[in-house]
């Protein structure tokens, strides 16, 4: 989830330093990330035309609590739900309500869980019934952009390398990267240093070091990158009403020069499974 402040439920606080974590942190993040991924797996059969998004939120909350975890977003800065559900031209932070999903929608569901103080934060794209070719292409570009960003994560690289990999690919596909929201450090803090932007120049920004934890979560628009936040204070939409998509993983940098994806789906279902119309 892309927000901006500390979480009152954590045992640590945000500082200006990027935290380096050891084996205990990796183990904690594996548990939290797996549960978050399992929650999104559980929701797959519910993403159907006519299903109210409040029902999806209710079942996500029950799933998290039944597994002995806490929903990080519930009560966060006054937010009243467990997940964010962002449909079509909603970029992020869409609020569940009594509105129902419609056939042809593309939807992002974003969940963060707290397991023993560690945060697992992930989001993925879902198609509601058959989806048209333009929407499918946007989702595919967004997912591929995430994969390219993750491929750039290794000790000695920079955060600018991650953003450059995403931006270069997305713009080559005639789409745009949202600038107003970014990924973030996390661990025992929901939103920590650093900010992880999804555009930029190679070789810029802090160096990646083993033990860093953060999210990579590109938001990609079919149209222009500009967004606006609605009067509810949460829902961000594209200014030109073009479709938007987002894919997010929580990751850790490993000593061996690779990246560990904490929020990988244990059943392999993170990659968008969207029907053609």
């Amino acid at each position: 989830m892309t927000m901006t402040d500390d979480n009152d439920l954590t045992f640590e606080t945000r500082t200006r330093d990027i935290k380096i974590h050891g084996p205990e942190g990796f183990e904690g993040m594996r548990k939290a990330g797996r549960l978050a991924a399992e929650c999104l797996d559980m929701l797959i059969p519910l993403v159907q035309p006519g299903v109210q998004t409040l029902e999806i939120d209710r079942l996500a909350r029950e799933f998290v609590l039944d597994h002995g975890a806490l929903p990080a977003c519930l009560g966060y800065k006054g937010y009243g739900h467990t997940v964010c559900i962002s449909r079509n031209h909603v970029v992020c932070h869409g609020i569940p309500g009594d509105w129902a999903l419609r056939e042809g929608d593309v939807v992002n569901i974003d969940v963060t869980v707290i397991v023993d103080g560690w945060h697992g934060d992930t989001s993925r794209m879902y198609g509601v019934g058959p989806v048209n070719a333009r929407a499918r292409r946007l989702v595919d570009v967004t997912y591929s952009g995430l994969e390219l960003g993750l491929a750039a994560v290794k000790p000695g690289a920079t955060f600018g390398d991650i953003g450059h990999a995403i931006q270069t690919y997305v713009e080559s596909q005639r789409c745009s990267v949202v600038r107003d929201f970014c990924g973030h450090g996390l661990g025992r803090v929901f939103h920590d240093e650093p900010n992880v932007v999804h555009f930029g120049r190679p070789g810029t920004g802090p160096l990646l070091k083993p033990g860093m934890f953060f999210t990579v979560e590109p938001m990609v628009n079919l149209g222009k990158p500009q967004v606006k936040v609605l009067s509810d204070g949460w829902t961000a939409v594209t200014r030109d009403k073009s479709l938007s998509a987002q894919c997010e993983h929580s990751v850790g940098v490993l000593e061996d020069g690779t990246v560990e994806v904490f929020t990988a789906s244990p059943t392999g279902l993170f990659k968008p499974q969207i029907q053609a119309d």
Side-chain angles (χ1 to χ4, degrees):
M1 174 166 287
T2 309
M3 294 183 184
T4 52
D5 290 311
D6 301 344
N7 189 316
D8 296 333
L9 296 173
T10 60
F11 301 103
E12 298 179 5
T13 57
R14 182 167 186 160
T15 67
R16 294 187 178 183
D17 299 318
I18 302 174
K19 295 180 175 66
I20 302 296
H21 302 273
E24 178 188 358
F26 276 89
E27 186 59 29
M29 289 298 290
R30 289 177 189 127
K31 292 177 181 177
R34 182 182 178 92
L35 184 62
E38 288 174 340
C39 181
L40 294 185
D41 286 352
M42 179 273 298
L43 294 175
I44 290 173
L46 298 172
V47 181
Q48 300 292 337
V51 175
Q52 287 195 344
T53 51
L54 269 180
E55 178 67 4
I56 293 174
D57 183 73
R58 182 185 69 80
L59 291 171
R61 181 170 61 255
E62 288 183 357
F63 179 88
V64 174
L65 294 174
D66 287 348
H67 285 78
L70 294 172
C73 297
L74 187 61
Y76 180 89
K77 303 300 179 184
Y79 190 74
H81 302 280
T82 294
V83 297
C84 292
I85 303 179
S86 302
R87 176 177 64 172
N88 297 337
H89 74 293
V90 177
V91 176
C92 59
H93 304 163
I95 301 173
D98 57 6
W99 54 277
L101 299 175
R102 297 177 181 177
E103 185 170 300
D105 287 343
V106 285
V107 179
N108 177 272
I109 302 180
D110 190 335
V111 66
T112 306
V113 305
I114 306 174
V115 178
D116 298 329
W118 297 95
H119 290 74
D121 185 0
T122 185
S123 77
R124 74 175 70 157
M125 295 301 298
Y126 301 77
V128 184
V131 171
N132 68 41
R134 293 176 71 250
R136 294 199 313 276
R137 178 175 173 275
L138 171 67
V139 173
D140 288 343
V141 168
T142 306
Y143 179 79
S144 295
L146 171 65
E147 287 193 310
L148 289 167
L150 295 179
V153 177
K154 55 188 175 183
T158 69
F159 282 94
D161 295 335
I162 299 173
H164 180 73
I166 295 169
Q167 179 186 9
T168 301
Y169 171 73
V170 167
E171 292 181 351
S172 77
Q173 300 301 306
R174 302 183 304 281
C175 296
S176 63
V177 177
V178 171
R179 266 65 166 176
D180 297 65
F181 299 97
C182 61
H184 53 90
L186 83 169
R188 295 178 76 86
V189 178
F190 191 174
H191 296 99
D192 208 352
E193 294 296 325
N195 290 330
V196 182
V197 298
H198 305 110
F199 60 94
R201 292 181 291 112
T204 61
L207 284 175
L208 296 169
K209 297 178 181 179
M212 288 182 174
F213 298 162
F214 51 88
T215 68
V216 181
E217 48 181 300
M219 284 146 278
V220 176
N221 298 345
L222 265 182
K224 296 180 179 179
Q226 287 78 18
V227 307
K228 64 179 180 180
V229 177
L230 300 184
S231 59
D232 59 30
W234 291 101
T235 308
V237 300
T238 55
R239 283 192 174 271
D240 61 7
K241 298 185 179 180
S242 63
L243 291 177
S244 187
Q246 180 187 18
C247 296
E248 175 184 13
H249 273 314
S250 297
V251 304
V253 184
L254 294 169
E255 290 276 0
D256 66 4
T258 60
V259 59
E260 180 168 354
V261 178
F262 298 124
T263 48
S265 166
T267 52
L269 295 174
F270 181 86
K271 186 174 182 178
Q273 307 287 321
I274 295 182
Q275 293 177 253
D277 62 358

